[in-house]
Amino acid sequence: MGWGPAGQISRRAALLGGAASLAAATATGRHAVSASLRSEPGAAARLGLGDIAARNGIVLGASFAVHELDTPYGAHYAAAYLADVRSVTSELSFKMSVLRPTAGVINLDPADRLVDFAARNRLKLRAHTLVWNDDLPDWIHRLGPGEVELLLEAHTTTLMERYRGKVWAWDVVNEPIAPWDHLPGNLRKGPFLTALGEGYIARAFHLARSLDPTALLVINEAQTETDDENGRVFRTSFLALLKRLRAKGVPIDAVGLQAHLRSDRRYDFAVFKGFLDEIAALGYAIHITELDVNDSAFPADEKRRDAAVADLYRRFLTVVLAHRAVTAVTFWQLADHTSWLTYMARNESPNSRRRPRPLLLDDAFKRKPAWFAVESALKEMPPR
Ligand code: 9MR
């Protein structure tokens, strides 16, 4: 079980092959937002989610894929972000698979384009991710340990020097835990672990801190939310790792918890709150980094499905937003048709009439019950 890129090839191909025209990004701005809001009756009277969150001390964001700007709905895509978020996370463009598709080549165009979009629109940028033992191009798997060490150093240095002052938070290490690899500490196997042992994590953070003393440095993990054996193993293993890193003085500012929630899993958010308490007790801030709801086990009927998705968002956020250590919440995209779950479903079952509805906006960028559930949770949260 993993978060591999299965079924996502067309999406990455679109990104890599895209003519990286800046036209769509530069054409977006406050004008695009107001145009979109005018088209939605009553919308102008409501604050965006990012504004409500900011009033309560939360940075609200969503992952962003620059190639979506090149689609026929590109201007609406940008407008949706400007209306509702204060930060964007790079969903693809800062990954080694995109930046370094072949040995000796670095493709910075998509990352530059995202940095430019964020800067023009005064959005904070979460850069995802520097070091991840998954989703790597094949050539990295063929390197020897010494070369992997050099790659970690060169990659971190190139990116952090280039974007210093433009990135608000770096997911320095992504998903260090993978119990199915059966390694000590339940650490995820991969080239960086093989080359440097657990020390790859400390190495990356120390280097990152020396390159950018002001950006927030984040360690990001998946699958910690469920009330089942898998969730328990992830929580215990990740917490043990955080304690070891804390004891060694590794410079980590915040812990990222992805929160890809699923309709086919059990949740007890009181248990999850206890986990947040333990992270906070170690002195870390907490970012919710990839929130969405896989609705595959909810009813086929769209009204009932939307209500169930909204309810799961509400239950989760009520607990999370009440926790003082939580300072940022990021959704994994905003609109259903741009979700990784939709891209995957389209690839896996192109003829299915049922499409995932995991996010806050529908395919026409209209607000869904989930949007209003998030709005209420943000309005009702205790201010910081
Ligand atoms: O949503 C992303 C998808 O489009 C990519 O194909 C995939 C591999 O790069 O990564 C997805 O994002 C993942 C994130 O980087 C890490 N946590 C799990 C996310 C969903 O798979």
Side-chain angles (χ1 to χ4, degrees), residues 8 11-12 91 95 128 135 175 258 290 332 340:
Q8 300 287 299
R11 195 171 188 195
R12 177 154 324 109
E91 185 159 343
K95 287 176 172 167
H128 170 85
D135 190 29
E175 298 179 10
Q258 296 184 4
E290 304 185 13
W332 212 233
W340 66 296

Side-chain angles (χ1 to χ4, degrees), residues 46 51 54 62 67 82 97 124 135 139 202 244 273-274 291 299 329:
R46 304 186 89 100
D51 303 321
H67 70 267
L82 299 191
S97 53
K124 291 181 192 293
D135 190 29
W139 66 270
R244 293 196 296 279
K273 181 194 171 297
L291 181 56
V329 174

